[in-house]
Amino acid sequence: MYENSNLKYPKFSILMSVYFKEKPEYLRECFESLLNQTVKATQWVIVKDGPLTEELENVLNEYDQKYKNLIKFVPMKENVQLGRALKAGVEACDFDIIARMDTDDICISTRFEVQLNEFENDEFLDICGSYIKEFSGNINNILSERKVPITNEDIIQYQKRRSSYNHMTVMFKKYSVLKAGNYEHAPLMEDDMLWTRMILAGCKGKNIPQYLVYARTGLDMINRRGGFAYFKKYKASRKKVFNLGLASYGDYLYTILVQFVVAMMPKKLRQIIFIKMLRN
């Protein structure tokens, strides 16, 4: 039985997108962490980004049957990629406060309670994230950590060169996201584009200096962030962020030069740089 009896807190939606390459066991771990929250969501909005495997569908159907009226599915006829999927998901959320979540990550049990308290304490807050611990296999195998700027002023400055939020930790107001233009198709930069447009729209943000999410990563993910083909995609996406007008041309050059060096270095060295320098 799923109960959301936390009358002290506002109702809110969790936004997730799932596609066929994801692993059913990771999806299940994610769902269990959401069910184990001290303050539970009123609604899970799950975008099915194209046809899924039978195994993934079985997990989704299992939780849908077990927890009636909790999950709202947004099926896409074909894979539209993350930006378009999240755009549709935001529009489908029934509540103004939305928590983003990746379907292979794990929340600590107090995540939503901690974040909702921030919104309760600051009526002008539009978006709130946190630190993450990145793991491989299980949450006891921590590879790295990613800290992000805390205050709105520092977030604005940091966003000029790097992402100011860990996307799988954010909780935001639907109204504020729509005011900024919602998500859009921007491979590798779906979240960065939104954060930048929210800043330019005058939205107020903060990050909580706590590790509220265990983010699944691994050497395969780091290895995919290499090679000239990856760099070309990154450069094109970063140019879109630059064109929004927040960052200077110097900021843009700095980011692509750093990424070029990292993308073109040998895999073993990239793993060391990513884990020891770019994260911690």
Side-chain angles (χ1 to χ4, degrees):
M1 180 69 178
Y2 184 86
E3 293 184 3
N4 181 12
S5 58
N6 302 284
L7 300 180
K8 172 185 174 182
Y9 296 97
K11 294 180 179 181
F12 69 99
S13 303
I14 299 175
L15 172 61
M16 296 173 275
S17 177
V18 60
Y19 81 128
F20 75 99
K21 288 187 178 181
E22 298 185 47
K23 296 186 177 181
E25 60 270 28
Y26 295 168
L27 182 63
R28 189 180 296 277
E29 285 185 80
C30 169
F31 284 179
E32 289 301 316
S33 79
L34 301 179
L35 293 170
N36 194 40
Q37 291 293 303
T38 55
V39 177
K40 295 179 175 62
T42 315
Q43 177 188 59
W44 297 1
V45 173
I46 301 178
V47 183
K48 296 182 181 181
D49 190 7
L52 304 176
T53 64
E54 181 179 355
E55 292 78 12
L56 286 170
E57 288 285 5
N58 287 341
V59 174
L60 293 175
N61 290 335
E62 174 190 335
Y63 282 84
D64 187 38
Q65 291 296 315
K66 191 172 182 180
Y67 304 101
K68 297 290 188 180
N69 303 316
L70 171 63
I71 302 176
K72 182 178 184 179
F73 292 112
V74 182
M76 314 300 282
K77 292 183 179 180
E78 59 185 9
N79 180 259
V80 297
Q81 298 188 34
L82 186 59
R84 298 187 185 103
L86 292 175
K87 180 178 187 294
V90 167
E91 293 169 353
C93 288
D94 292 328
F95 304 102
D96 188 49
I97 294 182
I98 301 172
R100 260 279 261 135
M101 186 64 185
D102 281 351
T103 51
D104 58 353
D105 295 337
I106 298 172
C107 295
I108 72 164
S109 63
T110 56
R111 175 193 165 181
F112 299 141
E113 181 176 1
V114 169
Q115 289 184 295
L116 288 169
N117 282 333
E118 296 294 335
F119 283 95
E120 289 292 292
N121 293 334
D122 185 353
E123 63 178 308
F124 299 107
L125 186 63
D126 297 291
I127 177 170
C128 178
S130 76
Y131 297 169
I132 57 172
K133 291 189 177 184
E134 297 177 305
F135 73 99
S136 179
N138 64 74
I139 61 174
N140 295 316
N141 183 27
I142 303 299
L143 296 181
S144 56
E145 300 172 352
R146 186 169 190 261
K147 296 181 178 181
V148 279
I150 305 303
T151 67
N152 189 56
E153 293 76 15
D154 289 342
I155 284 169
I156 293 171
Q157 291 302 312
Y158 196 85
Q159 186 61 33
K160 294 178 180 181
R161 294 189 173 185
R162 297 184 65 187
S163 183
S164 291
Y165 298 97
N166 292 310
H167 69 267
M168 69 292 290
T169 72
V170 299
M171 181 177 278
F172 45 48
K173 292 177 179 175
K174 178 177 179 178
Y175 167 81
S176 304
V177 172
L178 295 179
K179 180 178 73 171
N182 205 344
Y183 280 97
E184 64 180 83
H185 180 61
L188 305 180
M189 292 288 168
E190 297 91 353
D191 295 293
D192 264 340
M193 290 284 284
L194 180 59
W195 312 154
T196 302
R197 284 190 278 101
M198 290 183 76
I199 288 172
L200 292 172
C203 295
K204 181 181 180 181
K206 74 174 298 181
N207 281 303
I208 300 167
Q210 298 178 37
Y211 298 97
L212 298 184
V213 175
Y214 289 94
R216 194 179 300 275
T217 185
L219 299 182
D220 287 343
M221 182 274 288
I222 298 173
N223 290 338
R224 288 196 298 272
R225 297 187 176 186
F228 191 66
Y230 173 84
F231 170 73
K232 286 175 63 179
K233 291 180 182 178
Y234 179 91
K235 181 182 177 183
S237 298
R238 198 72 212 179
K239 187 67 176 293
K240 290 184 178 181
V241 175
F242 164 70
N243 287 336
L244 291 174
L246 178 67
S248 69
Y249 191 67
D251 292 321
Y252 165 68
L253 285 179
Y254 175 86
T255 57
I256 63 172
L257 285 173
V258 169
Q259 188 59 48
F260 178 78
V261 172
V262 174
M264 300 311 293
M265 63 178 52
K267 289 181 180 180
K268 292 293 185 181
L269 182 57
R270 187 185 315 119
Q271 293 169 7
I272 295 171
I273 294 294
F274 188 89
I275 293 172
K276 299 298 183 182
M277 295 179 63
L278 296 182
R279 291 324 225 193
N280 292 327

